[in-house]
């Protein structure tokens, strides 16, 4: 009996102390802490859901539970779940959220019904009345959040695109505030909607305002591509998200495909006398910087390191004017070859623990319903194979497991 009791307390105690989900999160200088005051480091994968169908990928091949189990198997603690503003436009302006059957038919044409049938075969909780997000009790986004909660994984929502399609190029109409498909009022309404809607998910912790802002190829927007415009557009959107849900962290992303956030870390002049001052925010303990990196062909780790640091990671340093957490919410490489042994992959694997900073790899899945016009598009950068049934490359996954462990160990 005595033996039994001590065995029980030895195993039960840690899980009681760190009961999931311990939300809301907040920031303390450059750290992110949970509601119990323990450090939290984002370690996870992107799960794309902002393509034409606007349903998270992979469900025609696997159940939600099986995909989440794969993420869990890597000991990852969050998913960066991407969505398109068009989904909210449909709800607000086009008679409510559409059923997933219609969404597949619309995006995939004559092939849509076959894919839909495979989705409900793998995920029998869904059916004819299931919608993407809203209005029935069996929506896909809710079901994914519920399964992630069950497996103790957090949700970070990312507004990936305005119009649902593959991201990102300079001519895709989604580049910059006011671009052809990037209407600022719709964007802000969509963010508010998702911030509010996701309140019911126990594991919802943060929201990224916009993926990879970039310079339009042509005169797509009347708003100048510069930091002062960024400031004028991003701050009101962040205010609106904070008002809709004061609990969640807000991830700010930068220029040039979210590779540049330097003046946010340093507080330098953004033009027109505007300066980013974290202390001026009412919700200064909720703001995080996100950066992306795809310097895949770089052969010198020192260049990646100095570039990332100067472009924003310096916010995690001791002398930054605006001391903030920074998360590398996208990086990735071909999983089908030996890229995991090359400078880019090994460098980021070293830097994240070195800086005690979090990350999300692009991406978990092995194929898209449709990407750039091609259906059942093969994603060679995906951690999983085409059918999402097993790892694409066990050696690359072994290396990734090492990155997960080293990152989590770096922060106590
Ligand atoms: C978070 O981790 C850092 C680095 O290990 C440490 O200095 C800091 O005190 C930790 N914060 C908390 C709240 O544990």
């Amino acid at each position: 009996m005595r033996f039994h009791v001590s065995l029980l307390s030895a195993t039960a105690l840690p899980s009681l102390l760190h009961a999931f989900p311990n939300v809301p999160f907040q920031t303390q200088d450059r750290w992110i802490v949970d509601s119990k005051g323990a450090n939290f480091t984002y370690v996870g994968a992107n799960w794309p859901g902002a393509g034409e169908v606007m349903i998270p990928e992979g469900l025609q091949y696997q159940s939600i539970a099986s995909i989440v189990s794969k993420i869990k198997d890597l000991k990852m603690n969050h998913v960066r779940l991407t969505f398109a503003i068009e989904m909210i436009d449909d709800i607000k302006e086009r008679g409510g959220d559409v059923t997933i059957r219609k969404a597949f038919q619309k995006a995939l044409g004559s092939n849509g019904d076959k894919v839909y049938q495979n989705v409900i075969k793998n995920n029998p909780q869904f059916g004819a009345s299931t919608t993407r997000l809203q209005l029935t009790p069996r929506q896909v986004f809710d079901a994914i959040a519920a399964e992630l909660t069950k497996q103790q994984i957090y949700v970070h929502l990312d507004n990936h695109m305005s119009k649902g399609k593959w991201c990102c190029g300079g001519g895709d109409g989604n580049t910059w505030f006011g671009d052809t498909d990037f209407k600022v009022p719709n964007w802000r309404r969509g963010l508010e909607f998702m911030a509010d809607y996701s309140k019911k998910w126990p594991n919802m912790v943060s929201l990224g305002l916009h993926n990879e802002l970039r310079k339009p190829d042509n005169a797509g927007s009347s708003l100048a591509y510069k930091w002062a415009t960024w400031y004028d557009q991003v701050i009101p959107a962040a205010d609106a998200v904070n008002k809709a849900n004061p609990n969640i962290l807000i991830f700010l992303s930068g220029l040039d495909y979210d590779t540049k956030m330097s003046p946010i870390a340093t507080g330098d002049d953004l033009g027109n006398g505007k300066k980013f001052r974290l202390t001026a925010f009412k919700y200064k303990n909720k703001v995080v910087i996100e950066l992306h990196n795809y310097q895949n062909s770089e052969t010198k780790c020192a260049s990646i390191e100095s570039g990332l640091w100067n472009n924003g990671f310096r916010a995690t340093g001791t002398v930054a004017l605006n001391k903030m957490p920074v998360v590398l919410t996208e990086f990735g490489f071909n999983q089908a070859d030996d890229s995991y042994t090359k400078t880019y992959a090994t460098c980021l694997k070293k830097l994240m623990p070195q800086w005690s900073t979090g990350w999300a790899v692009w991406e978990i899945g092995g194929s898209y319903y449709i990407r750039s016009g091609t259906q059942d598009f093969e994603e060679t950068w995906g951690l999983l194979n085409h059918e999402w049934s097993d790892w694409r490359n066990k050696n690359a996954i072994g290396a990734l497991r090492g990155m997960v462990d080293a990152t989590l160990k770096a922060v106590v």
Side-chain angles (χ1 to χ4, degrees):
M1 194 59 196
R2 177 84 196 139
F3 174 70
H4 181 74
V5 167
S6 61
L7 191 74
L8 185 75
S9 57
T11 53
L13 205 58
S15 61
L16 281 177
L17 286 174
H18 302 286
F20 189 84
N22 289 339
V23 293
F25 290 175
Q26 59 172 315
T27 66
Q28 285 175 359
D29 285 343
R30 57 139 304 176
W31 304 104
I32 294 167
V33 297
D34 69 17
S35 63
K36 297 273 164 58
N39 274 322
F40 178 84
T41 308
Y42 281 77
V43 171
N46 281 271
W47 187 346
E52 282 83 348
V53 194
M54 291 174 257
I55 291 172
E57 303 284 344
L59 306 184
Q60 85 277 38
Y61 287 121
Q62 300 296 329
S63 68
I64 291 173
S66 134
I67 297 168
V68 172
S69 299
K70 292 286 194 301
I71 297 163
K72 189 68 185 177
D73 181 60
L74 295 174
K75 300 201 185 107
M76 288 176 163
N77 59 21
H78 86 286
V79 163
R80 182 173 182 253
L81 191 58
T82 77
F83 70 94
I85 294 296
E86 190 184 351
M87 179 169 70
I88 295 93
D89 294 344
D90 281 346
I91 292 170
K92 295 283 186 186
E93 290 168 19
R94 291 185 275 274
D97 198 4
V98 297
T99 64
I100 61 171
R101 181 173 209 165
K102 285 220 180 78
F104 280 110
Q105 286 168 343
K106 185 175 173 207
L108 307 181
S110 57
N111 207 28
D113 223 49
K114 194 179 89 196
V115 176
Y116 161 75
Q117 295 297 343
N118 287 333
V119 168
I120 59 170
K121 198 163 74 195
N122 289 310
N123 297 273
Q125 74 272 35
F126 299 148
S129 63
T130 305
T131 58
R132 290 181 299 215
L133 183 71
Q134 207 201 11
L135 298 177
T136 77
R138 300 185 301 171
Q139 319 84 328
V140 176
F141 274 85
D142 283 351
I144 287 175
E147 183 61 34
L148 288 166
T149 301
K150 198 169 142 197
Q151 300 203 35
Q152 309 203 338
I153 297 172
Y154 294 97
V155 173
H156 167 85
L157 276 178
D158 171 63
N159 168 226
H160 209 66
M161 289 290 274
S162 287
K163 190 168 178 55
K165 61 177 171 174
W166 175 248
C167 190
C168 306
D172 65 13
N174 286 252
T175 60
W176 187 246
F177 314 97
D179 198 357
T180 321
D181 290 321
F182 183 175
K183 299 191 174 59
V184 169
N186 297 48
W187 172 59
R188 211 181 289 170
R189 178 181 68 183
L191 292 177
E192 284 174 66
F193 184 93
M194 291 304 278
D196 180 60
Y197 186 81
S198 59
K199 272 181 188 163
K200 62 178 170 167
W201 303 341
N203 56 343
M204 171 66 190
V205 285
S206 47
L207 186 149
L209 298 184
H210 196 283
N211 186 62
E212 299 195 356
L213 293 161
R214 51 202 178 270
K215 191 177 193 327
D217 282 348
N218 39 39
S221 165
S222 59
L223 297 174
Y225 184 75
K226 55 181 192 182
W227 279 106
T229 306
W230 180 95
Y231 190 86
D232 288 343
Q233 298 299 329
V234 166
I235 304 308
D239 290 348
V241 166
N242 176 257
K243 198 165 168 222
N245 182 353
N247 283 330
I248 54 177
L249 302 177
I250 298 172
F251 279 39
L252 306 181
S253 69
L255 268 56
D256 296 356
Y257 295 82
D258 195 22
T259 61
K260 296 204 173 67
M261 281 295 264
S262 29
I264 306 309
T266 58
D268 288 353
D269 190 0
L270 301 172
N272 305 350
K274 293 179 211 295
K275 288 178 180 157
F276 186 92
R277 289 287 179 272
L278 190 62
T279 48
F281 284 74
K282 271 197 299 205
Y283 49 95
K284 56 179 171 288
N285 63 340
K286 294 290 184 185
V287 191
V288 173
I289 289 174
E290 63 175 317
L291 279 175
H292 291 181
N293 187 284
Y294 287 111
Q295 287 174 275
N296 295 63
S297 51
E298 180 59 60
T299 54
K300 290 192 194 70
C301 182
S303 311
I304 297 176
E305 175 167 0
S306 60
L308 276 174
W309 187 260
N310 291 330
N311 283 319
F313 272 88
R314 68 164 70 249
T316 66
T318 48
V319 297
L321 184 78
N322 296 309
K323 287 198 183 66
M324 298 163 72
V326 184
V327 180
L328 187 70
T329 51
E330 274 192 34
F331 74 98
F333 48 85
N334 192 340
Q335 294 283 311
D337 60 18
D338 63 351
S339 296
Y340 70 96
T341 66
K342 298 285 181 353
T343 303
Y344 170 75
T346 55
C347 183
L348 292 176
K349 183 175 171 178
K350 175 183 86 96
L351 290 178
M352 293 297 100
Q354 179 182 315
W355 292 337
S356 303
T357 47
W359 49 268
V361 66
W362 187 273
E363 61 134 325
I364 184 66
S367 50
Y368 300 92
Y369 303 124
I370 182 168
R371 171 172 149 182
S372 309
T374 302
Q375 295 199 21
D376 201 24
F377 188 103
E378 173 92 359
E379 173 58 288
T380 51
W381 287 30
L383 304 184
L384 293 168
N385 62 19
H386 191 95
E387 293 79 25
W388 298 54
S389 59
D390 199 357
W391 304 121
R392 185 173 287 270
N393 179 339
K394 295 222 163 55
N395 294 332
I397 289 296
L400 188 66
R401 287 185 200 278
M403 185 169 176
V404 172
D405 291 345
T407 306
L408 293 176
K409 227 181 279 167
V411 185
V412 285

